[in-house]
Amino acid sequence: MGNDLAAQCSGLRKRYGKRTAVEDVSLEVARGEIVGLLGPNGAGKTTVIKMLLGLVQPDAGQAQLLGRPAHEPAARERVGYLPELFRFQPWLSAAEVLTLHVKLARADVSKADQQKCLELVGLGQRSGDRVGGFSKGMQQRLGLAVALVARPEFVILDEPTSALDPLGRADVRDIVLELKSRDVAVLLNSHLIGEVERVCDRVVILDHGTVAAAGSLAELLGQRELRLHLTGVTAEATQRLAETTVLDRSGDWITVALPADDDATVPTLVSDLARLGVKIHAVEPGRITLEERLLGILRKADQ
Ligand SMILES: Nc1ncnc2c1ncn2[C@@H]1O[C@H](COP(=O)(O)OP(=O)(O)OP(=O)(O)O)[C@@H](O)[C@H]1O
C-alpha cells in the first residue's frame, strides 16, 4: 500500500449471528482527504469504522491504517477517533480528560497545547470544570478535543455534530477544513448531509452493509443544469439551443445540461440567444443536491 493512504480496506465483511452488518466493503481515504460516510440507520457505517480501527474483528477482508494492518496497536497511535457513543469519567475535569488521553496515546503534548485544543473546540473557559456537569454538546466538543489532542494524521469522526447547536456545527466544519489544510485525513460519518456536502472531497454511501455508491461530489451529483425562461425563440435560436444538451422543455422553460467545471457555456449561450432576438426572462443555474442523490440511491435500492 502506498504511503499516500491514511486508510484503506477491502472486502470487509461482518456478520452478527445470521445478520450481515457489512458485506464486501472496500474504501480508501488519501492523506489530506475528507471522505464522508453516508447511509441510513443500520447501514453498517459504525461497524466499518470499528473494523478500520481494529476494534471489531472482520470475518473477511483486510484494513490498513497509515500503512499498517489495522489490528496492530501501533497503527492507531497516529489516529484520532470520536466515537458515536462515549462517556468520559464524570469526576475528571476537561483538562484532566485530555491529559489522560495524551498519556494513553503516549504523545508529547504540552499543557499549553492541551489548553489550546480545548479552546479550539470552544471549551477554553471550562477546562477546570468536571465533565459530569457538562451538557451533551459540551461532552461532544470534549470528545472532539480528545480525538485531536495527540496531533493525529488521520481522524475518524462518528456523528461529531449530533448534539451540537448550529454554531458548534459551523465550528466543527472549520476544524475539519483546518485539518485538511494540514494534510490530516478525515473520515466523517454524519446524517447531516449538508455538512458532508460542504466539507467532503469524496463520499461513500453505504446501504444494507454494502457500498451503494462512491465518488467525488462532482461524480455523484453529475452534470449541472441551467433553466432558462425564454420567449420569442426563433428557428435560429432553437438551432443554437440544440448545440447544447436540452434536458427538458416545458412551456417557455428550457433546461439544458452544463459541462462540469465549465465557466464559458452560460455567458456564451446567453449572449448568443440575446443576439438572436430571444427575450430572456430568467437564467437559473441548478444542480441536484447530495440529499436528493442520496434519497434517489436509497429508494432505488429498496424497490
Ligand atoms: N455488537 C453488535 N451485535 C449485534 N448486531 C450488531 C452489533 N453492532 C452492529 N450490529 C448490527 O449491524 C448492523 C449495522 O449497524 P451499524 O451500527 O454499523 O449501523 P450504522 O450505519 O452505524 O447505523 P446508525 O446510523 O443508526 O448509527 C445493524 O443491523 C446492527 O443491528
Side-chain angles (χ1 to χ4, degrees), residues 16 19 21 39-48 84 159 189 191:
Y16 291 106
R19 173 162 295 139
N41 293 133
K45 303 177 298 291
T46 298
T47 308
V48 166
E84 184 181 19
E159 297 284 349
N189 173 22
H191 286 295

Side-chain angles (χ1 to χ4, degrees), residues 5-44:
L5 291 180
Q8 179 265 351
C9 66
S10 58
L12 283 185
R13 183 206 301 149
K14 184 70 193 174
R15 296 206 174 117
Y16 291 106
K18 282 192 183 146
R19 173 162 295 139
T20 300
V22 170
E23 180 69 49
D24 195 20
V25 165
S26 304
L27 61 88
E28 286 181 356
V29 183
R31 286 184 187 262
E33 187 180 39
I34 308 177
V35 174
L37 197 54
L38 290 173
N41 293 133

Side-chain angles (χ1 to χ4, degrees), residues 200-202 215-224 260-261 287:
C200 290
D201 301 306
R202 275 195 313 117
S216 65
L217 285 177
E219 284 162 350
L220 281 176
L221 302 182
Q223 62 197 3
R224 297 179 301 153
D261 304 325
R287 175 147 137 169

Side-chain angles (χ1 to χ4, degrees), residues 49-58 63 65 70-72 76:
I49 285 175
K50 286 185 175 165
M51 286 193 279
L52 267 182
L53 285 165
L55 300 175
V56 161
Q57 175 76 28
L65 282 176
H71 57 80
E72 285 182 10
R76 295 196 291 262

